[in-house]
Amino acid sequence: MFETDGYVIFRDVIDQDLIKEVNDHVEWLQARHPDVRPEQLGHTYLRDDPFWVRLVSDDRLVDIAQQFVGPDVALFASHYISKPPYSGQPVLWHQDAAFWPLDPMRVVTLWLAVDHSTPANGCVRVIPGSHLGEVAGMRDNTDVESVLGKEIAVDVDETPAVDDAARHFPFADSAHWA
């Protein structure tokens, strides 16, 4: 499925105790940085954070990443996208690879749903198979206040889109579409 569709779902990977710690950590970060929108709690705030380092190096998550990129795993970007009810910013259509100047593009994104994620509250959406095409350019989008501030610079046919309604499991996708 990963090779053809570009994504795969892993269920029951992270235990409830760790999920609670993640939620507590997000609350702590929001209290510590009240001037930062919760969707913007990215690597600037996390890179030296002991809890974050422990979370992203959790053997269960590293094992998943290694299935796709092999044993030499390196983390180069991280982000909490904590969307508050009724005012959360969307993540517009994009290809992760457009943000990452890597060669070769042997990369995987792990998305960990900490709360129940649905189409109504902003779950991840993917276009199956779109990772097999070229990486399209990006353009600024100031019409919508969004997490990335950018969107893919081509029209997206959302007909084949898959909504990933998730609860407490990692979602791995290729670097092309997320």
Side-chain angles (χ1 to χ4, degrees):
M1 180 172 186
F2 186 81
E3 291 79 17
T4 58
D5 291 344
Y7 72 96
V8 66
I9 298 170
F10 294 84
R11 299 188 188 281
D12 302 318
V13 175
I14 301 297
D15 58 81
Q16 292 299 316
D17 291 338
L18 184 54
I19 294 297
K20 181 181 180 332
E21 286 185 74
V22 171
N23 281 320
D24 291 346
H25 189 242
V26 170
E27 288 179 19
W28 177 81
L29 282 168
Q30 288 175 319
R32 190 167 181 205
H33 304 285
D35 56 326
V36 177
R37 283 202 55 100
E39 300 95 338
Q40 299 300 328
L41 293 171
H43 59 272
T44 301
Y45 306 99
L46 301 171
R47 70 174 168 247
D48 298 320
D49 184 285
F51 174 77
W52 186 257
V53 170
R54 181 168 58 92
L55 175 64
V56 298
S57 61
D58 185 286
D59 287 341
R60 296 166 289 190
L61 299 177
V62 173
D63 288 348
I64 290 171
Q66 287 177 333
Q67 290 181 42
F68 302 100
V69 297
D72 296 325
V73 175
L75 174 69
F76 66 91
S78 57
H79 204 115
Y80 276 129
I81 301 177
S82 178
K83 296 181 180 182
Y86 311 109
S87 67
Q89 295 176 340
V91 177
L92 303 178
W93 284 111
H94 68 283
Q95 293 173 293
D96 288 351
F99 294 99
W100 304 333
L102 301 173
D103 188 22
M105 184 57 68
R106 188 143 174 82
V107 180
V108 67
T109 298
L110 292 183
W111 177 74
L112 177 62
V114 178
D115 294 316
H116 190 63
S117 175
T118 68
N121 70 8
C123 67
V124 168
R125 299 186 81 203
V126 297
I127 306 288
S130 59
H131 66 295
L132 300 172
E134 294 294 317
V135 177
M138 298 295 293
R139 64 181 168 221
D140 292 337
N141 183 330
T142 57
D143 296 337
V144 177
E145 193 173 334
S146 67
V147 173
L148 302 173
K150 296 183 178 296
E151 67 182 351
I152 196 164
V154 297
D155 291 331
V156 176
D157 175 9
E158 296 186 35
T159 307
V162 174
D163 292 320
D164 177 31
R167 183 167 183 90
H168 307 317
F169 57 81
F171 172 93
D173 70 27
S174 73
H176 284 340
W177 283 94

